[in-house]
Amino acid sequence: MRAFARIASCIAAMLVLDACRERGAQGERWPTQPIHFIAPFAPGGPVDTIARKVGQKLSEELGQPVVVENRPGAGGNIGTAAAAKSAPDGYTVLVTSTAFAVNATLSAKPGYDAERDFVPIAIVATQPNAIIVNASLPAQDLAQLLALAKATSPGFATPGSGTTPHLTGEHLFRSMAKLDMTPIHFKGAGPAVIAVLSGQPPIGSAAISTALQHIRSGKLRALAVSSARRAKTLPDVPTLAEVGFPGVEDYTWVGLFLPAGTPPEIVQRLNAAVNRVLSSPQVRAQLEEEAFEPVGGSSRSSADYVKAEVEKWGKLVREVGIQAE
């Protein structure tokens, strides 16, 4: 019996060793086929922009096509849940925003566990949000907008329930300014900005990049940004702290994630490739031109950042009493 037990133990150890070797070999060969980016928001928003700009350069780095697939819905939960259920082989990558961290608290059943179901690869870039209005609205600054809102109780456009532009708006309008302003959620940043352009509604909260073209053309007006200091791309627009609302420092970030269980070798290779892409002067210039600040770093530091974001936004969701829609 003892001899049989020893043989069985040796066989089990050999099977484990073979599995480890096979996973290691997969990591060494990866990638051998196209990589699919799942972007859980509509085209035209910051996630879509980052996915396409970084994906194109990443394709050159890895020698395989990077295909971007937009799967909007439920504030990013539909596409994120699909990515969580995908094979952990490195060929399906989630490209998502701060909503990934927010929905962990906002949604009772988001369809994924932010910490258990994913391995963070890198936080690619961050940017502040902006309070924007249609140029025809008679509000030249934030004080005038708040006065107008106090008298009319208008709605404001957001890219979706639980996105950071939504929460920035809730924090400013409802929590700090004590105004009765109803968020009107759209399926992504692009549709939300289009709504403000059409005046339905004429007020919105958006990541800067999604509205920048229309701010520069004069069709939209930015009244304040949610960063600690003024954005380089909008140097004339004050921060919320400058106009009387200190402590509102919110950023929309975009990060890359792989399903849990992906071989460490693939995680490391993708992280290294992403960091090489972000070190490219061409890519950095493209991102900065659209108000993104490139980040990068290790998978571990990205995981720590995401964990802190889950805690930060969870606290705000509970304090303001925001409900998922």
Side-chain angles (χ1 to χ4, degrees), residues 41 75-76 97-99 102-103 106 129 158-168 185-186 188 205 252 313:
F41 299 96
S97 71
T98 323
V102 174
N103 288 343
L106 182 67
N129 302 314
T158 87
S161 179
T163 58
T164 49
H166 167 216
L167 297 186
T168 294
H185 302 306
F186 291 84
S205 180
T252 290
W313 293 113

Side-chain angles (χ1 to χ4, degrees), residues 4 18 43 52 86 94 142 150 175-176 191-192 208 228 316:
F4 179 79
D18 287 344
R52 296 182 189 282
S86 64
L94 175 68
L142 189 63
K150 186 175 182 179
S175 178
M176 302 189 79
I208 289 179
L316 179 61

Side-chain angles (χ1 to χ4, degrees), residues 123-211:
I123 300 301
V124 176
T126 65
Q127 66 171 264
N129 302 314
I131 303 301
I132 57 173
V133 297
N134 187 290
S136 65
L137 196 73
Q140 299 299 314
D141 56 35
L142 189 63
Q144 291 180 10
L145 174 63
L146 297 180
L148 178 67
K150 186 175 182 179
T152 60
S153 299
F156 69 96
T158 87
S161 179
T163 58
T164 49
H166 167 216
L167 297 186
T168 294
E170 292 272 20
H171 195 183
L172 171 65
F173 296 133
R174 192 161 69 170
S175 178
M176 302 189 79
K178 308 301 181 185
L179 295 172
D180 181 20
M181 292 183 66
T182 303
I184 301 172
H185 302 306
F186 291 84
K187 292 183 178 180
V193 169
I194 290 173
V196 180
L197 282 169
S198 67
Q200 301 294 324
I203 303 166
S205 180
I208 289 179
S209 63
T210 62

Side-chain angles (χ1 to χ4, degrees), residues 21-95:
R21 285 174 176 166
E22 176 60 25
R23 280 201 317 232
Q26 289 176 358
E28 290 174 4
R29 292 194 299 265
W30 181 90
T32 59
Q33 63 190 56
I35 297 167
H36 290 261
F37 275 7
I38 292 182
F41 299 96
V47 171
D48 183 66
T49 298
I50 289 286
R52 296 182 189 282
K53 288 186 179 297
V54 172
Q56 181 179 4
K57 197 68 176 178
L58 198 60
S59 176
E60 298 173 13
E61 281 286 332
L62 297 173
Q64 290 291 339
V66 174
V67 181
V68 178
E69 180 182 352
N70 298 93
R71 293 197 192 181
N77 285 344
I78 291 176
T80 303
K85 295 177 176 67
S86 64
D89 55 11
Y91 293 104
T92 301
V93 181
L94 175 68
V95 187

Side-chain angles (χ1 to χ4, degrees), residues 57 276-288 294:
K57 197 68 176 178
R276 288 195 298 272
V277 166
L278 293 178
S279 68
S280 161
Q282 177 188 3
V283 172
R284 295 186 72 87
Q286 288 177 343
L287 294 179
E288 290 170 356

